[in-house]
């Protein structure tokens, strides 16, 4: 009864909105069946609202199958697909494919173009993954972090040695597992190794040098890991990525908030990109970072000149980028929309003006500026990420674990 009433209130709320968007995300449960979480996002009184609509069993993982299931759930819940303006999923090919993906099939089924906005949190995650993998030095550093965690966590005896070494140091952090899916979570792993670097090296040296306490294979692994840590490439990568990853981690966590609008998300992403570009162009800061790595490496007996190699690769802009304004599409109502937005902006001139202020003001005078109201509603409707869907599975796992359930019961 509670479930039905909550769902009824959500559906009625969505029906009152001029537009809405749909977000979908799938994951297998403990019974090895795919759970499909459907969430909707819509504007209400100048604010963006995200609600879980339904969790069902995903029976067909193809683009057509998933797209059909999404529309069937919307239709079953009496939501008019004519008002469906946006859709958002992760980067899996069966969801994001422009020809056979769910996003393409959803548009075909409803009979109009439903704009696809990739999950920005997944987008940042993919960006970080490809960025790290493009550098041999950085990818080797990440592999070494994973090897460190596996080496110590696989044995209580080894882990106790590490804990003992850490007890004599200040501000140390326990080693963290590297998330396979969320690359920004690796910021904690990098920080843990940096803060506990001395204790880790001492532990590896102790294990590799005590023949009576550890077998040959264990001592060989410890010696190899210790040698990799005493590499200038590893040290300079650790120092550099420690700062970069925390900036991207903060961005990703903000993008996963429910009420963030696409406008604010674009601003945050643009600001982060600007910060990264400034870091890239700041020669003095880079040199200072390298000098710090050299100084630290020297204390460890490392010769930076022999150990460090810089890799450069010039990248040309993709050929599909078109900066020619004459070939860009123009909306016939662009001038009218621009005029109303300028009027709206002039009404809200404040030093600390935010997009939330603009949305609130637009709601007050929507009868005067109807086109600006439509733009604001679309901006609020446009999804930023599928984090709400993912949080659904986290809560569902807690419930199912507590109840000891083994099967999906979507009905």
């Amino acid at each position: 009864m509670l479930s039905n009433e909550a769902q009824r209130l959500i559906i009625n709320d969505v029906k009152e909105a001029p537009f809405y968007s749909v977000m979908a995300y799938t994951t297998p449960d403990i019974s090895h069946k795919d759970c499909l979480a459907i969430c909707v996002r819509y504007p209400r009184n100048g604010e963006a609202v995200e609600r879980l609509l339904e969790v069902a069993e995903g029976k067909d993982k193809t683009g057509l199958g998933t797209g059909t299931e999404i529309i069937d759930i919307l239709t079953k819940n009496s939501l008019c697909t004519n008002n469906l303006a946006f859709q958002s999923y992760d980067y899996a090919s069966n969801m994001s494919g422009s020809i056979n993906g769910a996003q393409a099939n959803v548009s075909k089924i409803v009979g109009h173009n439903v704009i696809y906005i990739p999950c920005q949190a997944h987008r940042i995650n993919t960006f970080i993954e490809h960025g790290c993998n493009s550098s041999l030095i950085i990818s080797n550093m990440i592999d070494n972090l994973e090897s460190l965690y596996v080496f110590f966590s696989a044995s209580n005896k080894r882990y106790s040695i590490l804990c003992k070494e850490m007890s004599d140091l200040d501000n140390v952090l326990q080693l963290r597992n590297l998330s396979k899916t969320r690359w920004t979570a690796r910021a904690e792993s990098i920080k843990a190794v940096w803060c506990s670097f001395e204790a880790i090296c001492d532990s590896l040296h102790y294990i590799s040098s005590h023949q009576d306490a550890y077998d040959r294979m264990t001592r060989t692994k410890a010696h190899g890991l210790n040698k990799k840590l005493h590499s200038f490439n590893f040290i300079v990568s650790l120092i550099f990525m420690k700062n970069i990853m925390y900036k991207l981690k903060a961005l990703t966590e903000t993008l996963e908030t429910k009420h963030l609008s696409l406008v604010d998300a674009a601003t945050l992403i643009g600001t982060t990109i600007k910060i990264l570009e400034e870091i890239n162009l700041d020669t003095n800061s880079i040199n200072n970072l390298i000098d710090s790595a050299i100084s630290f490496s020297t204390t460890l007996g490392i010769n930076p000149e022999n150990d460090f190699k810089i890799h450069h690769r010039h990248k040309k802009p993709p050929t599909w980028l078109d900066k020619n304004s004459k070939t860009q599409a123009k909306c016939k109502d662009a001038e009218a929309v621009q005029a109303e937005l300028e009027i709206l902006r002039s009404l809200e001139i404040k030093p600390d003006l935010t997009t939330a202020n603009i949305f609130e003001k637009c709601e007050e005078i929507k009868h005067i500026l109807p086109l600006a109201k439509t733009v604001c509603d679309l901006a609020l409707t446009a999804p930023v990420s599928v984090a709400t869907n993912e949080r659904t599975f986290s809560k569902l796992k807690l419930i199912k674990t507590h109840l000891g359930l083994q099967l999906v019961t979507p009905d």
Side-chain angles (χ1 to χ4, degrees), residues 299-313:
T299 62
L300 298 174
I302 301 171
N303 188 335
E305 294 293 333
N306 296 334
D307 206 40
F308 181 67
K309 294 181 181 179
I310 301 177
H311 300 272
H312 295 279
R313 183 175 66 179

Side-chain angles (χ1 to χ4, degrees), residues 102-120:
Q103 61 114 340
N105 284 286
V106 164
S107 294
K108 293 177 184 177
I109 295 171
V110 300
H112 69 270
N113 182 33
V114 182
I115 299 174
Y116 168 59
I117 301 177
C119 171
Q120 298 303 299

Side-chain angles (χ1 to χ4, degrees), residues 144-154 159 174-178 225:
N144 291 335
L145 293 180
E146 179 69 16
S147 298
L148 273 176
Y149 176 81
V150 171
F151 179 78
F152 283 107
S153 62
Y159 192 75
Q174 296 292 334
L175 292 182
R176 300 284 297 273
N177 189 18
L178 272 68
L225 286 171

